[in-house]
């Protein structure tokens, strides 16, 4: 990663003034999280001090917890995880406008430079100078208080709970996936994977007017959640049966849009068989390792492969969709843990992940 912009670096290093009121959940060893006092100082220019109230546990957090590694290299401990969060504005730094102490907000955790070609063209998710809290070496949000750039905070509408505010970050991923696939009214869609990202992608595709949605996974409880959230067909079976079910749903044509959210080489390789002629494949999940792919099969169909990386410019869309009832992400939360039980929350997500759709930590 390149050196971060000045304001981003200040966030990453923020003060060393210890105050008893601030506590953080530190990863102190692989598979071990402990609560300890955390640094805190007054917010700087353009910053707010956020009283964090809910933090969702992301798959990347669990990977760091279980491995202690980023891109195959061990990172320095202790370290604070978590980036899906919402809370209340506790203090304003100099120059902050548009927010007030007491406002409930969610946090878009992409702290970008604002000046590179990607930021200036609106593709700030591609900023080479980005600081992303919870991705080493930048501490995350599993703490009572954190100073963040005010420009990354979005006020929650009255009808959106603070807990649901913590779900805006994964929902933004689902909205990006559906947008990259150009999912439209009447489309027939296949989603491979029904973890949290697969399910928010389902919600986004349904909100955009998809007429038929098939979700495939190996976990029964997640498929039950997919049905609850609006999937027309769920499949828990081998590849041959998946093909049969997809073609039955699409009258022998294949899907208009296939979205791979599981991050599996196996499901990624299957996308060429599932998409219709001139259809679109969107790669959403983090697929590690080599993936054999029959590109000629896709070429015969003149299909397209598209990718997404996080999200951009859609937190307001996510908030409006939830505020108006177009999308209800609240059923995704299957487990809520107290701050003191953060280690148990991560243990469950790591060792019994088939039981969990989304776990959140509540910070008093």
């Amino acid at each position: 990663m390149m050196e971060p912009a000045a304001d981003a670096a200040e966030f990453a290093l923020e003060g060393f003034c210890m105050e008893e009121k601030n506590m953080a959940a530190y990863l102190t060893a692989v598979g071990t999280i402990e609560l300890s006092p955390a640094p805190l100082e007054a917010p700087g220019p353009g910053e707010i001090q956020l009283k964090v109230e809910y933090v969702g546990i992301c798959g990347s957090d669990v990977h760091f917890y279980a491995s202690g590694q980023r891109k195959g290299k061990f990172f320095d401990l202790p370290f604070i995880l978590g980036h899906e969060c919402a809370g209340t504005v506790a203090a304003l730094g100099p120059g902050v406008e548009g927010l007030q102490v007491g406002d409930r907000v969610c946090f878009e955790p992409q702290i970008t430079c604002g000046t590179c070609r990607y930021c200036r063209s609106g593709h700030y998710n591609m900023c080479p100078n980005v600081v992303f809290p919870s991705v080493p070496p930048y501490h995350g949000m599993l703490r009572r208080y954190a100073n963040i750039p005010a420009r990354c905070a979005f006020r929650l509408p009255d009808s959106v709970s603070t807990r649901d505010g913590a779900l805006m970050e994964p929902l933004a991923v689902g909205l990006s996936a559906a947008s990259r696939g150009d999912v439209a009214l009447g489309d027939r869609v296949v989603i491979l994977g029904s973890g949290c990202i697969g399910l928010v992608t389902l919600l986004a595709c349904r909100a955009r007017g998809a007429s038929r949605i098939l979700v495939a996974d190996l976990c029964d409880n997640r498929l039950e959640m997919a049905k609850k959230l609006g999937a027309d067909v769920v499949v828990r079976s081998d590849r041959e049966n998946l093909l049969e079910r997809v073609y039955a749903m699409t009258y022998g044509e294949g899907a208009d849009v296939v979205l791979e959210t599981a991050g599996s080489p196996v499901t990624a390789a299957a996308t060429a068989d599932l998409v219709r002629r001139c259809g679109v494949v969107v790669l959403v999940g983090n697929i590690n390792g080599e993936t054999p792919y029959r590109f000629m099969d896709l070429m015969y169909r003149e299909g397209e492969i598209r990718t997404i990386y996080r999200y951009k410019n859609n937190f307001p869309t996510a908030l409006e969709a939830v505020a108006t009832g177009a999308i209800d992400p609240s059923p995704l939360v299957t487990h809520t843990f107290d701050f003191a039980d953060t280690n148990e929350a991560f243990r469950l997500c790591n060792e019994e992940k088939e039981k969990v759709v989304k776990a959140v930590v509540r910070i008093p």
Side-chain angles (χ1 to χ4, degrees):
M1 179 180 292
M2 297 176 61
E3 287 296 318
D7 63 336
E10 288 169 6
F11 172 81
L13 300 173
E14 66 173 51
F16 291 93
C17 175
M18 302 298 290
E19 293 192 12
E20 291 184 1
K21 71 175 183 178
N22 201 22
M23 297 287 287
Y26 284 98
L27 179 68
T28 56
V30 172
T32 301
I33 290 177
E34 300 174 296
L35 299 190
S36 296
L40 182 68
E41 62 179 18
E47 291 183 334
I48 64 169
Q49 187 170 97
L50 179 66
K51 169 58 186 74
V52 182
E53 295 172 14
Y54 285 94
V55 180
I57 297 177
C58 174
S60 63
D61 295 321
V62 176
H63 167 73
F64 295 143
Y65 165 84
S67 69
Q69 298 182 45
R70 181 187 178 219
K71 296 183 176 180
K73 297 181 179 180
F74 287 98
F75 53 84
D76 291 339
L77 300 177
F79 185 73
I80 305 172
L81 297 167
H83 57 266
E84 304 171 2
C85 73
T88 301
V89 177
L92 303 177
V96 173
E97 298 180 353
L99 290 172
Q100 298 179 351
V101 172
D103 283 346
R104 295 181 309 112
V105 298
C106 61
F107 173 41
E108 179 177 353
Q110 296 186 102
I111 304 173
T112 56
C113 72
T115 59
C116 69
R117 65 182 296 181
Y118 304 104
C119 286
R120 290 167 65 89
S121 65
H123 298 278
Y124 62 88
N125 59 319
M126 292 287 102
C127 176
N129 306 309
V130 67
V131 167
F132 197 92
S134 81
V135 175
Y138 305 109
H139 285 302
M141 304 301 291
L142 273 164
R143 41 183 157 169
R144 282 207 178 101
Y145 293 90
N147 296 335
I148 64 172
R151 58 187 168 87
C152 296
F154 293 83
R155 186 185 292 107
L156 298 178
D158 291 341
S159 58
V160 178
S161 71
T162 309
R163 191 191 74 167
D164 283 355
L167 301 177
M168 293 305 105
E169 200 271 351
L171 179 56
V173 177
L175 291 172
S176 289
S179 176
R180 282 290 281 163
D182 290 324
V183 175
L185 184 66
D187 278 350
R188 295 170 293 201
V189 173
V190 168
I191 299 172
L192 303 175
S194 62
C196 180
I197 297 302
L199 294 173
V200 291
T201 300
L202 162 64
L203 291 172
C205 290
R206 182 61 77 199
R208 290 173 69 99
S211 63
R212 299 278 287 169
I213 301 176
L214 179 148
V215 177
D217 201 292
L218 296 176
C219 295
D220 290 331
N221 70 312
R222 292 182 174 181
L223 290 175
E224 284 298 317
M225 179 66 75
K227 289 171 63 176
K228 179 178 180 180
L229 295 178
D232 299 287
V233 180
V234 296
V235 178
R236 187 194 188 283
S237 58
D238 57 29
R239 178 169 174 168
E240 182 177 347
N241 192 37
L242 173 61
L243 291 172
E244 180 181 333
R245 299 289 296 276
V246 169
Y247 278 88
M249 186 187 80
T250 61
Y251 309 104
E253 287 190 338
D256 298 295
V257 185
V258 178
L259 301 113
E260 201 290 328
T261 71
S264 164
V266 175
T267 50
T271 57
D273 293 326
L274 303 175
V275 69
R276 69 165 172 83
R277 298 184 183 199
C278 302
V280 175
V281 172
V282 183
L283 300 180
V284 183
N286 296 323
I287 305 169
N288 294 305
E290 296 183 0
T291 301
Y293 200 86
R294 300 180 315 282
F295 284 98
M296 187 59 71
D297 290 351
L298 190 67
M299 291 172 65
Y300 283 146
R301 302 177 188 217
E302 203 171 87
E304 293 184 48
I305 294 180
R306 301 175 185 173
T307 63
I308 70 162
Y309 187 65
R310 296 178 180 152
Y311 39 79
K312 59 182 184 294
N313 305 311
N314 63 3
F315 261 60
T317 301
L319 285 167
E320 185 69 7
V322 175
T324 59
I327 291 177
D328 179 10
S330 59
L332 294 172
V333 178
T334 53
H335 296 75
T336 301
F337 291 86
D338 291 332
F339 196 28
D341 298 322
T342 300
N343 190 72
E344 173 59 19
F346 274 81
R347 186 207 65 77
L348 184 72
C349 290
N350 180 49
E351 298 178 8
E352 302 177 64
K353 58 185 177 181
E354 70 281 353
K355 297 180 179 179
V356 183
V357 175
K358 173 60 66 179
V360 299
V361 175
R362 180 176 51 225
I363 302 178

